[in-house]
Structures are given as C-alpha cells and as structure tokens.
Amino acid sequence: QVQLVESGGGLVQTGGSLRLSCVVSGSIFNILAMAWYRQPLGKQRELVADITSTSITHYADSVKGRFTISRDNAENTLYLQMNSLKPEDTAVYYCGAGVGGFMDYWGQGTQVTVSS
C-alpha cells in the first residue's frame, strides 16, 4: 500500500518561510500525480498546488509566486517551499497522491501557523 508522511510544519512569523516534505512509501511514486491541499480551521479544504508525474505544475492564485511545488523521484519525496508567508496561509496542510487525476492517498496533515 502507498503511505504518505508529511513533515516540516510549524510556527513562523509573517514574511517567513517553511518547507514541507512528504515521503511516499511504495513502488509507484514515479507514476503518481502529487498535490498539496490545505484546510484552515472552520473552512473547506482547498488545492494549493499540484505536480504531475512529468513535473508539470499548477498553483492556486493565492500562492502563485510565493510557493513552489517540486518532487524528487530518487527519494520518493514531494516538497512545498513556502515563502513570504501570510497569516491567511495558516492551515493544516495535506499531501495527496493519485493516478488518473484524482487523489487516492492522503497524509496525516501538518500544521502551519503564521503569526501576525
């Protein structure tokens, strides 16, 4: 089975940076599409960024120019580099993976808190 484990969340001040990591167990990482979602407290989960198996990327307008999604196929790891963080970026961030355009696997989530 495919398992995803996120890390790298924490507390930062406005304007700071964090890098989230998602390590994927299993043998099919190279053919998976990967994505980062986030869910602020009391709000709906939303797509932050995604990357195809061929490294084509897409970003939500709210993070474009500030966040970078990448993958290291040799290490079975997905990353989200987050710069110029704002309080509205505060949320639980989830790593997702899937084949065929849908997320079939999810990580446990990691909390990102950006203080004013």
Side-chain angles (χ1 to χ4, degrees), residues 53-68:
S53 61
T54 55
S55 296
I56 305 301
T57 60
H58 171 265
Y59 298 91
D61 288 342
S62 59
V63 307
K64 196 172 299 181
R66 299 188 297 121
F67 291 10
T68 302

Side-chain angles (χ1 to χ4, degrees), residues 1-99:
Q1 295 181 340
V2 175
Q3 293 184 325
L4 287 67
V5 180
E6 298 119 325
S7 63
L11 174 64
V12 297
Q13 295 182 359
T14 297
S17 298
L18 285 173
R19 189 175 79 157
L20 306 183
S21 299
C22 174
V23 178
V24 181
S25 65
S27 61
I28 63 170
F29 180 80
N30 288 3
I31 66 170
L32 293 171
M34 304 292 297
W36 288 101
Y37 287 75
R38 67 186 182 186
Q39 186 169 22
L41 184 64
K43 297 183 178 181
Q44 184 67 261
R45 185 176 298 189
E46 63 180 1
L47 177 66
V48 176
D50 61 81
I51 183 168
T52 70
S53 61
T54 55
S55 296
I56 305 301
T57 60
H58 171 265
Y59 298 91
D61 288 342
S62 59
V63 307
K64 196 172 299 181
R66 299 188 297 121
F67 291 10
T68 302
I69 187 171
S70 62
R71 63 193 296 158
D72 185 341
N73 288 346
E75 298 294 332
N76 285 11
T77 303
L78 176 74
Y79 299 100
L80 184 67
Q81 178 66 47
M82 304 185 294
N83 298 324
S84 301
L85 284 162
K86 306 173 181 179
E88 49 263 48
D89 295 318
T90 295
V92 178
Y93 283 70
Y94 296 91
C95 175
V99 179

